[in-house]
């Protein structure tokens, strides 16, 4: 027999009793104004308010605090707050090791706020118990004759309890919001593989990188030129036009340099995808929601308040610039962000892991910081092309380490074939991003950066293990089978008995950072005797038949005059350097 349910208009929000003693349906609660009253019932001694349909609040014509909407499809972060509040010392020491000094006390603040929030929750549970007791006491008055004074007293008590619960909820909500906000600011815990201190550990070298950087240039018997000089000499780059068009940090690649960019992208994509069906090529968007970028560990501003990524503000229709707005959009600083967002709010099957993606995209970085001769040219720019790898793995260390090692091997093979001298570093904690628990960089030796404190070394690739930092924030989960259970063939009709939900780990790595690799290829490929730049053989299929880059002949009178001036300066410089007999 189906249990009867009280009509929608017969439910009291204050006393929470259905007419006729029927079951209380809290999701169908309405105001006491709609409660059915018996003919002999005395008028209420308390004032009731008629519930009316709420009217939308008019949009203010002027406001000083802009608000940014969050789409309903935004993933809801599920952080391990228990681990933070029970081990605040561990998380504080982690911030100290990473030099994130402004968050050293954050774990302890989270623990204190949780105590206050838990106290309010305990008080709310006590009030809820009182509310249920009053509900049981009021039930007889609905079924038959009653003393009006007693009934009204119970109603007043129920309303008092309800008001107290509302006050506790109002006090607890900001505490919970503050706890979540602070927890989102904390960096990932650091792996045991990360070296202690602030200096990275050298893991290995590629293409005689160990010897070429230590030998002085005079003993190497050759002259060096920076990629900026070579770009001007061979007509490969135009920084002046870019400064006029967009500003500092942008550039035009022309002639063979434009072909080299596309060649490097194709070379990296085909190398990664050619390893087998395990890698899937993706062409991702370059604009993402701000909450997706934040979920990957990229925030608009760094710990010093400097801008890191570009944001796009979208005023809502019919509002002024300072009013409400649509969800914030960002220019992605790396393809890792949109690739990670592909599986936001998804549940993966254990058999789908590891899932590996590779994609090329334009990347945008504000790149705030010091600028000088060592960052001149293509080394630090605001927009560039990059090929990125991203993988989701089972939430265990061996599976994650296997994919991490595979990415580092891919990076090493790519750079080895390009014949660039490199070194592989296990990065220290201060060099890790917020999402990374472990990171390895590969640096190329740039002749033009010999005077830099790094003695010429510059990062061209990195690979990071992020554990569940990103998947918890993007609500990407995996359904794990029970131990010893085999996967059924074909698509599963539903969750297997005994299966559990977990957060997979993510690993990301750079396959090709085009501008820096292109700059290194020009500096190492330049032959001063022939005055040409050799192109690596692995890039020939995409270079339209070109195997070397030759100096372009001047075509206008102005270019011819500049060429003569350069020749004169070069000749006079050689005469000044000629030893006196």
């Amino acid at each position: 027999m189906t249990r009867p349910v009280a009509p929608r208009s017969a439910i009291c929000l204050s006393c929470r009793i259905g007419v006729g003693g029927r079951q209380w349906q809290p999701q169908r609660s309405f105001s006491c104004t709609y409660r059915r009253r018996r003919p002999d019932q005395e008028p209420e001694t308390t004032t009731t308010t008629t519930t009316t349909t709420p009217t939308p609040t008019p949009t203010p014509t002027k406001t000083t605090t802009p608000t940014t909407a969050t789409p309903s499809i935004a993933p809801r972060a599920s952080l391990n707050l228990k681990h933070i509040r029970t081990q605040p010392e561990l998380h504080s020491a982690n911030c100290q090791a990473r030099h994130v000094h402004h968050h050293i006390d954050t774990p302890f603040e989270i623990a204190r706020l949780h105590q206050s929030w838990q106290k309010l929750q305990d008080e709310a549970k006590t009030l809820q118990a009182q509310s249920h007791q009053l509900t049981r006491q009021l039930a007889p008055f609905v079924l038959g004759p009653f003393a009006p004074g007693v009934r009204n007293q119970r109603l007043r008590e129920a309303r008092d309890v309800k008001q107290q619960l509302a006050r506790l909820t109002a006090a607890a909500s900001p505490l919970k919001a503050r706890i979540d906000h602070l927890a989102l600011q904390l960096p990932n815990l650091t792996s045991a593989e990360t070296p202690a201190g602030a200096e990275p550990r050298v893991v290995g070298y590629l293409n005689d990188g160990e010897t070429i950087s230590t030998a002085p240039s005079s003993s190497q018997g050759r002259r060096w030129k920076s990629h900026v000089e070579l770009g001007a000499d061979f007509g490969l780059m135009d920084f002046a036009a870019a400064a006029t068009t967009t500003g500092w940090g942008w550039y035009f690649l022309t002639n063979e340099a434009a072909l080299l960019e596309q060649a490097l992208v194709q070379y990296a994509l085909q190398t990664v995808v050619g390893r087998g069906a395990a890698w899937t090529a993706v062409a991702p968007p370059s604009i993402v929601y701000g909450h997706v970028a934040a979920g990957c560990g990229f925030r608009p501003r760094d710990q010093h308040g400097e801008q890191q990524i570009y944001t796009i503000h979208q005023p809502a229709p019919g509002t002024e610039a300072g009013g409400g707005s649509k969800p914030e959009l960002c220019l992605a600083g790396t393809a890792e962000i949109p690739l990670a967002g592909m599986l936001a709010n998804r549940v993966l099957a254990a058999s789908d892991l590891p899932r590996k993606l590779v994609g090329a995209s334009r990347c945008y970085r504000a790149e705030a910081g010091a600028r000088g001769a060592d960052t001149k040219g293509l080394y630090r720019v605001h927009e560039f092309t990059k090929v990125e790898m991203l993988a989701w793995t089972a939430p265990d260390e061996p599976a994650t380490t296997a994919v991490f090692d595979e990415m580092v091997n891919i990076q090493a093979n790519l750079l080895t074939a390009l014949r660039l001298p490199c070194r592989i570093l296990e990065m220290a904690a201060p060099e890790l991003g917020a999402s990374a628990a472990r990171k390895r960089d590969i640096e190329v030796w740039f002749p033009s950066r010999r005077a830099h404190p790094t003695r010429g070394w510059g990062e061209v690739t990195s690979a990071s293990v992020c554990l569940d930092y990103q998947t918890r924030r993007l609500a990407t989960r995996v359904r794990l089978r029970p131990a010893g259970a085999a996967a059924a063939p074909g698509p599963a009709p539903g969750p297997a008995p005994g299966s559990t939900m977990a957060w997979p780990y993510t690993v990301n790595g750079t396959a090709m950072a085009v501008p820096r690799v292109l700059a290194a290829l020009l500096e190492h490929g330049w032959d001063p005797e022939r005055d040409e730049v050799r192109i690596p053989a692995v890039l020939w299929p995409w270079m339209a038949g070109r195997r070397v880059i030759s100096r372009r002949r001047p075509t206008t009178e102005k270019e011819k005059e500049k060429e003569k001036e350069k020749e004169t300066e070069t000749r006079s410089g050689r005469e000044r350097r000629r030893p006196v007999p």
Side-chain angles (χ1 to χ4, degrees), residues 342-403:
M342 284 184 69
L343 297 186
N345 286 329
R346 299 282 187 91
V347 177
L348 309 177
S351 58
D352 294 336
L353 301 179
R355 185 165 181 178
K356 307 172 187 177
L357 305 179
V358 58
S361 71
R362 297 292 282 181
C363 305
Y364 302 87
R365 306 272 181 94
E367 290 286 1
R371 302 185 180 100
D374 57 293
T375 61
K376 189 178 180 181
L378 298 178
Y379 191 82
R380 178 167 290 135
V381 292
H382 295 306
E383 181 182 1
F384 56 95
T385 302
K386 184 159 72 84
V387 181
E388 185 76 7
M389 300 176 288
L390 179 70
W392 293 262
T393 71
D396 62 77
E397 185 175 351
T400 305
T401 303
V403 175

Side-chain angles (χ1 to χ4, degrees), residues 232-386:
D233 292 344
F234 291 86
L236 303 177
M237 307 167 197
D238 194 338
F239 293 98
T244 303
T245 305
T246 315
W248 186 95
W250 276 270
Y251 54 94
F252 283 101
L253 295 180
T254 58
N255 300 311
E256 287 87 350
L259 295 177
L260 272 174
E261 178 180 53
Q262 301 305 318
L264 288 170
V265 170
Q266 290 301 318
Y267 167 56
L269 285 174
Q270 294 198 19
T271 300
V272 178
V273 177
R275 297 177 65 89
W279 288 92
T280 302
V282 179
S286 295
I287 297 179
V288 297
Y289 279 129
H291 62 265
V292 174
C296 293
F298 294 84
R299 298 190 175 276
R301 296 187 178 274
D302 65 3
Q303 58 188 11
H304 305 295
E306 297 288 346
Q307 184 180 4
Q308 295 299 299
I309 61 177
Y310 296 104
T311 59
I312 303 173
H313 180 65
Q314 302 183 98
T319 62
E320 295 184 0
S325 64
K326 297 179 181 179
E328 182 182 72
L329 294 173
C330 297
L331 296 177
T334 168
E336 169 194 345
I337 301 173
L339 292 179
M342 284 184 69
L343 297 186
N345 286 329
R346 299 282 187 91
V347 177
L348 309 177
S351 58
D352 294 336
L353 301 179
R355 185 165 181 178
K356 307 172 187 177
L357 305 179
V358 58
S361 71
R362 297 292 282 181
C363 305
Y364 302 87
R365 306 272 181 94
E367 290 286 1
R371 302 185 180 100
D374 57 293
T375 61
K376 189 178 180 181
L378 298 178
Y379 191 82
R380 178 167 290 135
V381 292
H382 295 306
E383 181 182 1
F384 56 95
T385 302
K386 184 159 72 84

